[in-house]
Amino acid sequence: LLLLVLCCPTPLTAVAVTGPGLVTVEHGSSLEVSCSYRPRYKLNSKYWCRKNFLFCLSYIIQTDGTEVTVTRDRVSIRDNHTANSFTVTLSSVTPEDAGHYACGVKRKLRRNPGHSIKVM
């Protein structure tokens, strides 16, 4: 797994979620992406979605706000409240998995902040 981060990480005090900007993964291997969040969002649901350049087109997987690992098909997500981060794993990556994604936190009555990631 080769992980490339573009530019400079933004301090957690400025944004709700941070993570890598670009992830490169080989066909057939597993993709693992970790995203960090501000401590105030510890109990919020975390998500991984496929997106166009601006919006999530579909939410692929999300937590329920606990640290229980959620698995759906080839994708799993696990939150770590102590580290204020969550990890998304996609197994058996195919060329069709390349594209734009976002990791983020769900908030009630407000926009869900997300961090954009390009998977190649």
Side-chain angles (χ1 to χ4, degrees):
L1 173 70
L2 174 64
L3 176 71
L4 301 173
V5 179
L6 294 181
C7 192
C8 317
T10 308
L12 280 177
T13 56
V15 294
V17 183
T18 61
L22 173 67
V23 179
T24 303
V25 61
E26 291 183 27
H27 174 84
S29 64
S30 290
L31 166 72
E32 187 172 289
V33 176
S34 290
C35 295
S36 300
Y37 54 85
R38 293 171 67 180
R40 68 193 282 181
Y41 298 118
K42 187 178 302 269
L43 300 179
N44 291 56
S45 174
K46 314 308 181 299
Y47 67 84
W48 175 253
C49 71
R50 187 97 189 215
K51 61 181 284 191
N52 61 16
F53 289 104
L54 299 174
F55 304 104
C56 285
L57 300 173
S58 63
Y59 287 88
I60 297 169
I61 199 164
Q62 67 182 41
T63 69
D64 62 2
T66 69
E67 292 186 308
V68 174
T69 300
V70 178
T71 302
R72 186 172 149 214
D73 298 322
R74 299 180 296 128
V75 185
S76 67
I77 186 170
R78 181 177 174 94
D79 196 354
N80 181 331
H81 291 167
T82 304
N84 294 318
S85 68
F86 61 100
T87 303
V88 175
T89 304
L90 173 63
S91 62
S92 304
V93 172
T94 69
E96 291 76 30
D97 293 320
H100 297 274
Y101 294 84
C103 57
V105 296
K106 292 242 179 176
R107 298 190 299 183
K108 293 180 181 176
L109 307 176
R110 295 176 65 188
R111 186 178 71 81
N112 296 324
H115 174 79
S116 293
I117 299 169
K118 183 175 182 180
V119 173
M120 294 178 58

